[in-house]
């Protein structure tokens, strides 16, 4: 089963790591819902993981948050798929 297609427009902001403008998010689980403060978000360009704040802007993770998601299967899967997509796009050009 594929993940649901839900793209939520966000206030544009640069990735904290690579500077890519982030202006949309999609869920990585089969649960279709809006993003909430405290949810993790991954830059599709570089894979940097941040957390949504109360205004749905990204902030760096605390050490406790980083430890809590270490090895999380959804995060690992999203990172793997993101890298495969990027590699395929680069090899096609």
């Amino acid at each position: 089963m594929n993940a649901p297609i839900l793209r939520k427009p966000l206030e544009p902001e640069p990735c904290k790591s690579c500077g890519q403008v982030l202006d949309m998010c999609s869920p990585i689980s089969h649960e279709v819902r809006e993003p909430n403060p405290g949810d993790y978000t991954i830059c599709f360009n570089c894979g940097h993981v941040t957390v949504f704040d109360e205004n749905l802007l990204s902030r760096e993770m605390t050490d406790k948050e980083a430890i809590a998601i270490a090895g999380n299967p959804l995060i690992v899967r999203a990172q793997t798929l993101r890298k495969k997509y990027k590699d395929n796009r680069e090899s096609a050009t």
Side-chain angles (χ1 to χ4, degrees):
M1 183 173 171
N2 293 327
I5 304 297
L6 169 72
R7 291 186 177 89
K8 168 71 175 171
L10 299 171
E11 184 69 32
E13 66 172 317
C15 170
K16 308 283 187 237
S17 180
C18 72
Q20 174 73 36
V21 175
L22 307 173
D23 61 0
M24 192 164 292
C25 69
S26 296
I28 60 172
S29 71
H30 294 294
E31 180 183 359
V32 177
R33 66 179 182 82
E34 298 283 316
N36 291 300
D39 286 347
Y40 297 93
T41 184
I42 302 168
C43 173
F44 198 73
N45 187 57
C46 72
H48 188 66
V49 180
T50 55
V51 177
F52 284 121
D53 68 12
E54 60 280 350
N55 298 309
L56 295 182
L57 296 172
S58 66
R59 64 167 174 77
E60 296 291 356
M61 289 187 288
T62 65
D63 290 343
K64 185 177 178 179
E65 290 167 332
I67 291 167
I69 68 158
N72 178 300
L74 285 176
I75 301 289
V76 171
R77 180 173 177 253
Q79 291 286 32
T80 300
L81 293 173
R82 183 198 66 78
K83 183 173 182 336
K84 284 182 183 179
Y85 176 83
K86 295 281 289 181
D87 290 348
N88 286 338
R89 290 214 31 157
E90 289 172 6
S91 67
T93 56

